[in-house]
Amino acid sequence: MAGQDPTLVWMNGEFVQWDEAKLHVTTAAVRFGSRIFEGMRAYWNDSQEQLYIFKMEEHLKRLAQSMKMMRMTTDYSLDDIEKACMDLMTKNNVREDVHLSPSIYFGEGEALFSYKPGTVEVGAYAVTRPRKTILGTGKGIRVCVSSWTRISDRDVPPRIKAAANYQNGRLAAVQAAEDGYDDAILLNGLGKVAEGPGACVFLIREGTALTPPVTGGILESITRSTLMQLLEEQMSVPVVEREIDRTELYIADEVWMCGSALEVTPIFSVDKYPVGDGKLGPLTAQLQTEYENCVRGKTPKYLDWVLPIYSS
Ligand SMILES: Cc1ncc(COP(=O)(O)O)c(C=O)c1O
């Protein structure tokens, strides 16, 4: 497999061809969006001829937390899902970077408000997904602060990685695109910076990295924790989790978004205010390199963050 999406999909314990991995239109996940999922990446290391899944354990732990909050149970254990994800890589002979997504959803025959344990289905697939900002190109994005408010723990908790939550992010992302921006940053109900439609936000001010707290209306991002550790341990940059005002985005020295999909995506302007001098900032650039090295299993100190797929 090279340059094309893996053809096998894992569905309810079986590997099926991509075209056969279908759901009925009456499935609860389709009708009501009652589905939780994870999104992670597997990275190919050319010199080692090895594929690494990045922070698999953390993603599975968050999947379990999403299930618990949604009162979903399945017959498949986290170990089963982990094995399915690994098998998905080997059976598809994945030898390039892919985006990998296991999901758990209420299946056919389930009612919207059903409470009793019912038909819960599982699946996992992988796709080749272009990276938004390729390392070394010096590219960045232009974002706006959205007029949409980030969902909150009081109504639709962003801590749950539920498909339905993404309608909030989609409204912001689509509006941003209509208005000529690459992406959006949402504020929470208190008017403080929350996150992007699919990523967390960091700022650099006076040499300190700032990021909203996990109680600020954000997904508890695995990349966010990774970068906090890299900033402190590899780059000696202090990190402070605190509420962030919208106008701090306008005067920050550097701003970036981060996530398994977006990795470290530099932001060059917010609401058309240039960030710093409107180019790739030095700390963002260094962090991109640190991140790239650890996800590809090139930083010995962080080898326990990556799960090798092929036996050497
Ligand atoms: C809304 C939202 N915030 C943040 C993130 C980043 O989370 P992670 O770093 O765990 O991928 C994502 C990506 O999954 C997301 O969808």
Side-chain angles (χ1 to χ4, degrees):
M1 188 210 101
Q4 62 185 51
D5 289 333
T7 49
L8 289 174
V9 172
W10 185 69
M11 244 184 134
N12 296 321
E14 314 251 310
F15 283 92
V16 297
Q17 290 297 324
W18 185 273
D19 290 348
E20 287 159 21
K22 290 180 182 157
L23 294 181
H24 195 269
V25 70
T26 60
T27 306
V30 177
R31 290 168 71 203
F32 311 120
S34 43
R35 166 180 173 262
I36 53 138
F37 69 105
E38 270 308 314
M40 55 191 126
R41 278 187 189 261
Y43 289 88
W44 179 246
N45 182 317
D46 224 2
S47 59
Q48 295 174 17
E49 302 221 332
Q50 182 59 274
L51 185 74
Y52 290 111
I53 300 182
F54 188 62
K55 291 213 166 174
M56 169 79 123
E57 293 301 320
E58 285 82 348
H59 282 280
L60 291 177
K61 186 171 162 200
R62 192 171 64 187
L63 188 71
Q65 290 173 346
S66 292
M67 281 174 66
K68 181 173 187 188
M69 290 182 277
M70 291 284 280
R71 299 188 193 281
M72 287 171 120
T73 50
T74 128
D75 295 339
Y76 296 93
S77 66
L78 288 189
D79 284 349
D80 294 335
I81 297 171
E82 171 164 3
K83 181 166 185 318
C85 289
M86 293 175 76
D87 289 350
L88 189 70
M89 299 294 100
T90 51
K91 282 184 188 293
N92 279 298
N93 192 27
V94 173
R95 288 174 181 275
E96 63 187 303
D97 297 355
V98 287
H99 184 84
L100 163 65
S101 180
S103 51
I104 317 245
Y105 49 92
F106 288 119
E108 226 175 301
E110 278 307 301
L112 172 56
F113 300 124
S114 87
Y115 177 71
K116 292 190 288 294
T119 320
V120 174
E121 302 191 5
V122 294
Y125 67 88
V127 285
T128 51
R129 188 192 244 192
R131 303 170 86 178
K132 195 141 189 170
T133 43
I134 307 285
L135 186 78
T137 60
K139 286 195 183 146
I141 59 170
R142 297 162 55 253
V143 308
C144 61
V145 174
S146 183
S147 56
W148 294 100
T149 301
R150 185 67 182 139
I151 48 177
S152 87
D153 203 57
R154 281 197 308 209
D155 34 61
V156 182
R159 182 169 287 103
I160 306 175
K161 195 165 167 71
N165 292 9
Y166 284 79
Q167 300 316 310
N168 173 242
R170 181 176 181 276
L171 286 169
V174 170
Q175 185 63 52
E178 280 288 324
D179 293 344
Y181 296 96
D182 299 311
D183 212 337
I185 292 176
L186 291 109
L187 306 181
N188 63 24
L190 300 172
K192 304 296 178 186
V193 172
E195 61 182 344
C200 282
V201 178
F202 277 84
L203 280 66
I204 297 287
R205 289 195 66 190
E206 312 287 343
T208 296
L210 307 175
T211 193
V214 289
T215 50
I218 65 170
L219 178 72
E220 291 192 3
S221 154
I222 289 155
T223 319
R224 175 183 172 280
S225 331
T226 304
L227 299 188
M228 286 167 69
Q229 206 171 332
L230 290 177
L231 283 159
E232 291 190 327
E233 292 181 4
Q234 300 293 95
M235 296 167 57
S236 303
V237 173
V239 181
V240 177
E241 294 173 82
R242 69 155 170 83
E243 283 185 339
I244 293 171
D245 280 332
R246 172 183 193 153
T247 46
E248 292 190 87
L249 295 167
Y250 302 158
I251 56 171
D253 303 315
E254 302 183 36
V255 183
W256 67 84
M257 276 188 186
C258 74
S260 302
L262 262 66
E263 301 173 304
V264 181
T265 296
I267 293 180
F268 287 176
S269 69
V270 181
D271 290 340
K272 301 193 177 163
Y273 289 96
V275 173
D277 58 6
K279 296 197 210 94
L280 179 61
L283 294 179
T284 315
Q286 194 185 340
L287 189 61
Q288 283 184 314
T289 306
E290 294 289 351
Y291 188 71
E292 173 76 9
N293 286 339
C294 73
V295 296
R296 261 179 228 288
K298 292 182 182 171
T299 312
K301 184 174 171 189
Y302 302 122
L303 277 183
D304 58 342
W305 289 356
V306 289
L307 178 69
I309 293 302
Y310 296 109
S311 46
S312 48

